[in-house]
Amino acid sequence: MSRICIPDYEYKERIARAAALVREKGLDVMVVSSTESDYANARYFSGFWPLFERAGVAISATGDAALLVGPECSIFAKDFGKIEKQFCLLEFRESADPSYPELKCSSFKDVFKAIGVSGENIKIGLGSYVECTLPIYEGLKENYPKAEIVKCNDIMVKLRQIKSKNELACIQEGFRIIELATDEVIKNLRPGVTELEMVGIAQRVIYENGAEYEGLPMYVFSEESTRHAISRSSYRKLGKGDIVQLNLSAKIDGYSPSIGLPVILGKLEGERRELVEFCRQAHQWTVEQIKPGVMASDIAKRFYKLYEDKGYASNYVYGPCHGTGMIEVEAPWMETSSDYLLQENMTFQVDTFISGPTFGCRWEKGIAVTDKGCHSMTDYIEKGIIELDF
């Protein structure tokens, strides 16, 4: 069976669609930039994911493109990148800030000339506003002091929010692998093992079954650390009766879904069970609301009201969904201020989190919006609350 991945022709199609949006916004060129941890925008066009350094892609209004990398990634990029024109720029160096005094690098003027952008009074769009580091921004200003530099993140959201059949296949393959990892972790959960040991088991399984990397820094939390919306696993040993939160993931050609669920080392009773059950019911409610043509903010407002009605408003952190794809959490979020309509082939993580005074809980899975509703890309959550007998 051939490996599930994004074919080379799709990268060219993405550049062409981006160029059309660049023209539509009256830009001469768009520059996207990426880091090792948030590689998505550069990899979306080039297939290249940097190590240590930054990477970028410049796309002209005429549809030409170039991959931009730091000094140490030049050979790496030639071997892995899908864009023929490639340039080494000092602005994309690593955070140790080496000066490379013997190395002659290209400039943004060299890049823009090569992709057909001429003149000084040009309009440059930043498609990765948050990931654009200060050296990259200063390099653009130094080379083009008369240019107008504007934020154009909306181009990238528009391109990435609707998934192709190949993107959906990558995400679905990720869920297949995560289910295997989740099975294996649950099989090995017992009092006395550490959170980090369980992460190690998940890592072994995802690599053995075809993942290129973790889709997010996988975590296994227990008891008080389950209150953390974002955190890291520790050396804490699990105990009988603990609530253990799993959030496991697998990356397939850049696409990074995850599954999150609580597992109980014993029986879950009383107020603890009520909170976990409410969180699961809110998760299931959200899935039932998703269909094309629905305003995202309407779902988010009614979701928050569920928390208010049940007396959990003070335990609310976020919800009910966030976009997913090349990054496990990507735009668009589904929030009370979200003024967009759901469309077919949008993908979301239905991410239902609640944080209490002594513990928290998250139920999370991926869905794709269909022509009539939504398709759950994993049925693991439907297993319900998993209680292990110790």
Side-chain angles (χ1 to χ4, degrees), residues 70-88:
E72 294 176 45
C73 281
S74 292
I75 299 173
F76 173 27
K78 283 181 171 59
D79 288 344
F80 280 79
K82 308 290 185 182
I83 297 176
E84 184 177 347
K85 293 177 181 176
Q86 298 184 11
F87 292 84
C88 170

Side-chain angles (χ1 to χ4, degrees), residues 87-329:
F87 292 84
C88 170
L89 276 72
L90 190 59
E91 287 87 348
F92 290 84
R93 64 191 178 273
E94 62 174 89
S95 59
D97 199 19
S99 57
Y100 303 103
E102 293 77 32
L103 189 66
K104 180 171 175 53
C105 292
S106 299
S107 69
F108 278 109
K109 284 203 169 182
D110 297 323
V111 174
F112 288 4
K113 181 181 178 181
I115 61 174
V117 179
S118 60
E120 297 294 327
N121 297 301
I122 60 174
K123 192 171 183 179
I124 303 169
L126 299 179
S128 306
Y129 181 77
V130 173
E131 294 80 43
C132 181
T133 63
L134 190 57
I136 294 171
Y137 183 80
E138 287 179 339
L140 289 167
K141 290 291 289 183
E142 181 180 342
N143 279 264
Y144 291 95
K146 296 180 181 179
E148 181 184 1
I149 301 178
V150 299
K151 178 179 176 181
C152 65
N153 289 37
D154 56 323
I155 288 180
M156 295 312 303
V157 173
K158 188 168 185 177
L159 287 170
R160 289 172 54 192
Q161 68 182 352
I162 306 295
K163 303 301 190 289
S164 70
K165 66 177 183 179
N166 294 310
E167 291 177 293
L168 292 171
C170 287
I171 296 169
Q172 189 65 70
E173 174 67 358
F175 278 113
R176 182 189 70 83
I177 295 171
I178 301 163
E179 289 181 355
L180 296 174
T182 305
D183 284 342
E184 191 67 16
V185 169
I186 291 174
K187 186 189 303 182
N188 285 273
L189 279 175
R190 63 185 184 276
V193 302
T194 69
E195 296 173 352
L196 284 166
E197 285 178 272
M198 298 299 98
V199 171
I201 287 172
Q203 289 174 326
R204 172 181 61 79
V205 173
I206 67 166
Y207 289 123
E208 285 179 345
N209 287 279
E212 67 175 14
Y213 207 68
E214 300 173 63
L216 51 75
M218 291 196 284
Y219 56 74
V220 177
F221 299 156
S222 57
E223 287 299 295
E224 287 195 358
S225 64
T226 59
R227 297 172 300 143
H228 303 168
I230 297 174
S231 187
R232 296 190 185 276
S233 298
S234 74
Y235 292 97
R236 182 184 184 277
K237 291 184 177 181
L238 308 184
K240 187 175 180 179
D242 280 0
I243 292 179
V244 180
Q245 178 69 45
L246 309 183
N247 261 77
L248 308 181
S249 63
K251 193 185 301 293
I252 302 296
D253 209 19
Y255 289 81
S256 307
S258 72
I259 295 174
L261 73 160
V263 180
I264 320 304
L265 301 190
K267 295 295 290 183
L268 185 63
E269 298 174 332
E271 292 183 0
R272 285 158 70 91
R273 188 172 195 94
E274 289 176 11
L275 188 142
V276 173
E277 286 279 20
F278 163 74
C279 192
R280 182 167 177 264
Q281 289 163 10
H283 177 94
Q284 292 172 317
W285 177 91
T286 301
V287 174
E288 293 167 2
Q289 312 310 307
I290 295 174
K291 58 184 177 181
V294 174
M295 180 66 70
S297 59
D298 289 345
I299 298 176
K301 288 171 184 175
R302 287 184 287 138
F303 177 82
Y304 181 66
K305 192 172 188 307
L306 292 177
Y307 279 70
E308 288 185 314
D309 291 346
K310 290 291 187 177
Y312 290 126
S314 62
N315 306 110
Y316 178 87
V317 181
Y318 63 81
C321 302
H322 55 73
T324 194
M326 296 194 77
I327 298 293
E328 195 268 349
V329 180

